[in-house]
Amino acid sequence: MKRLFLMTGMTILPLATVHAAPEIYGKAFLTTDYSDIGVNNNGRQNRFERTDSDFVQINSNFSRLGIRGSEALTDDTEIIYRLEYGTQIDGSGDSAFKNRDTYLGVKNKNIGELRVGRNTSVLGYAYDPMVARAYWDNLGKTTLDSNNTVSALNMLDYTRKNNSIVWIAPKFETVPVDLVMQYATNEDSDDRGAGFGAYAKYSSNKGITTGLAFSRDIEANGSINALDFAIDKNVDGQVNYGGDVIRGTMTLDIDHYIDMKAPITLGAVYQQADYDFEEASIEKGLIVSANMYLKQFAHPASVYLQYNQTDNLNGIGNNESKQMVLGGEYEFKDNIIAHAYIGQNSTDYTNPMDETRELADIKVVAAGGGLEYLF
């Protein structure tokens, strides 16, 4: 009887360990934000109304829930997967969960990693210098909502692309370079056009990192009303467009060169988005940042300053956005982080729905803070 039980146990044990347990992870990030918003249409007749309002909001900032894991095929190869969904834990939004990165792939020590599904675009890998968080983590908000809701506008940012393939090159100790490439089909469009992109990052042992990302018809991709931009006065309805985006980044750790009691990391980003709809102007974005690490506290803490400027926002000539944010973080634990910040965004917005293209001056001031919990 004992021998039978032992043999049965030895048979079941390998079967029980064939499937590795998936990891459940996520983030809950809630803040309370005070906003003061003003719109000055300079007395012109257009869709903008003169506004001066202030209010308090509870905001969920990129909160998420996910499952990820891997399964060994051979000593060098494994199946990888991720199912990640964003959620508004403050109750806002139309749906409880929204797809973020969801893919199935293969990882090999010598060939690299291949992900197929819905993937973060290559621009998302060029993110080191961006330090603003929560309310002011607003890159990619380039246009007003359809109901003209006023908000802080900023330069084009990365997206997540459906029906895409991402290849991440293997890392070698002797080569301090990261390489990512992406290919994406556009199955929602009649022409089924494809987009692609690439990203490379170099990290030196002297505290300098540089990155360069390029994408075509991924971020700068969408549709626009033909009459809004005089593409053709005889054409009505939506016209699909694409475009190229290039982003360069650099970070510099000052403490590699100067012995400082409070180490500082400087960052810079320059980006151009070339939309291919008629009369579009090249959007030009600049970001500079500084992040100071404070050693005098019981737990890790830092303060940061970030400045953003965008010319020809969303490809519309004379649109201009400027933003300045001061903030700080305090880590009670590695996974429990307190945030506080204050910032201002001012935008000269050209109304594409107005034939006279008159400007409205939009100013947003916001301060807030909250707690981020990682699990």
Side-chain angles (χ1 to χ4, degrees):
M1 185 69 179
K2 290 182 179 179
R3 180 178 298 177
L4 178 61
F5 179 79
L6 180 61
M7 292 178 65
T8 303
M10 292 177 65
T11 303
I12 294 176
L13 184 60
L15 295 176
T17 57
V18 166
H19 301 291
E23 175 191 3
I24 298 176
Y25 69 97
K27 177 171 78 170
F29 190 0
L30 273 180
T31 56
T32 301
D33 301 306
Y34 167 79
S35 303
D36 187 351
I37 296 177
V39 177
N40 182 9
N41 62 3
N42 300 314
R44 301 183 179 100
Q45 297 298 318
N46 54 40
R47 65 171 172 157
F48 294 100
E49 297 182 359
R50 188 178 182 90
T51 303
D52 187 4
S53 61
D54 61 288
F55 48 87
V56 175
Q57 289 180 304
I58 304 298
N59 289 315
S60 176
N61 303 281
F62 307 106
S63 299
R64 67 200 65 166
L65 180 66
I67 300 173
R68 60 190 173 196
S70 62
E71 195 74 50
L73 291 177
T74 67
D75 291 340
D76 295 332
T77 306
E78 58 185 341
I79 295 293
I80 57 172
Y81 60 88
R82 174 180 288 186
L83 304 172
E84 183 176 295
Y85 303 92
T87 182
Q88 299 289 339
I89 60 175
D90 61 342
S92 303
D94 298 329
S95 59
F97 293 99
K98 183 178 181 181
N99 283 45
R100 288 171 58 89
D101 282 28
T102 52
Y103 59 78
L104 181 66
V106 179
K107 184 177 182 180
N108 179 274
K109 293 180 181 179
N110 300 314
I111 300 176
E113 188 172 330
L114 194 68
R115 301 174 178 179
V116 182
R118 177 175 168 86
N119 291 284
T120 294
S121 70
V122 291
L123 244 63
Y125 292 84
Y127 228 77
D128 293 340
M130 288 74 147
V131 293
R133 296 290 181 262
Y135 186 96
W136 293 109
D137 187 5
N138 64 330
L139 266 66
K141 183 66 175 176
T142 60
T143 62
L144 298 180
D145 296 335
S146 58
N147 60 358
N148 299 340
T149 301
V150 177
S151 58
L153 303 179
N154 219 316
M155 70 187 209
L156 185 70
D157 197 17
Y158 77 91
T159 184
R160 288 181 172 83
K161 192 64 176 175
N162 297 335
N163 311 304
S164 64
I165 302 172
V166 169
W167 174 67
I168 302 175
K171 292 185 179 181
F172 303 102
E173 294 182 2
T174 57
V175 182
V177 176
D178 296 339
L179 179 62
V180 181
M181 302 186 72
Q182 183 174 32
Y183 175 85
T185 63
N186 189 6
E187 296 183 8
D188 297 328
S189 174
D190 293 337
D191 59 13
R192 300 294 177 99
F196 61 89
Y199 167 71
K201 175 182 176 181
Y202 170 76
S203 303
S204 76
N205 56 8
K206 296 183 179 180
I208 300 176
T209 63
T210 57
L212 184 65
F214 171 82
S215 73
R216 171 165 292 176
D217 298 343
I218 294 182
E219 278 79 20
N221 189 42
S223 60
I224 197 165
N225 192 306
L227 298 180
D228 290 347
F229 289 87
I231 293 175
D232 187 339
K233 290 298 184 182
N234 297 316
V235 176
D236 193 8
Q238 300 295 313
V239 174
N240 293 325
Y241 68 86
D244 299 341
V245 184
I246 186 167
R247 173 184 289 181
T249 66
M250 184 177 70
T251 61
L252 172 64
D253 294 332
I254 299 297
D255 56 309
H256 276 258
Y257 303 90
I258 303 173
D259 186 12
M260 305 182 68
K261 293 183 179 179
I264 297 176
T265 298
L266 301 179
V269 178
Y270 181 72
Q271 176 176 297
Q272 285 194 357
D274 187 3
Y275 301 88
D276 63 13
F277 58 83
E278 189 172 321
E279 295 190 8
S281 300
I282 295 177
E283 180 189 278
K284 300 177 181 180
L286 173 69
I287 298 175
V288 290
S289 65
N291 194 20
M292 178 184 293
Y293 303 92
L294 307 176
K295 295 182 177 181
Q296 59 266 42
F297 293 93
H299 297 278
S302 63
V303 294
Y304 59 81
L305 186 67
Q306 180 170 310
Y307 173 77
N308 298 35
Q309 178 170 326
T310 308
D311 297 329
N312 303 326
L313 179 69
N314 200 38
I316 303 173
N318 299 322
N319 272 11
E320 184 177 87
S321 170
K322 295 181 179 179
Q323 179 172 296
M324 179 75 77
V325 179
L326 173 66
E329 301 179 4
Y330 185 84
E331 296 185 15
F332 294 101
K333 293 183 177 181
D334 290 341
N335 65 325
I336 303 177
I337 307 167
H339 296 261
Y341 42 81
I342 184 171
Q344 175 181 302
N345 179 290
S346 58
T347 303
D348 294 331
Y349 194 82
T350 303
N351 185 352
M353 300 295 289
D354 184 352
E355 291 182 358
T356 62
R357 296 191 177 186
E358 299 289 358
L359 295 177
D361 302 322
I362 302 173
K363 185 176 180 180
V364 177
V365 178
L371 200 63
E372 179 181 9
Y373 176 65
L374 306 170
F375 60 91

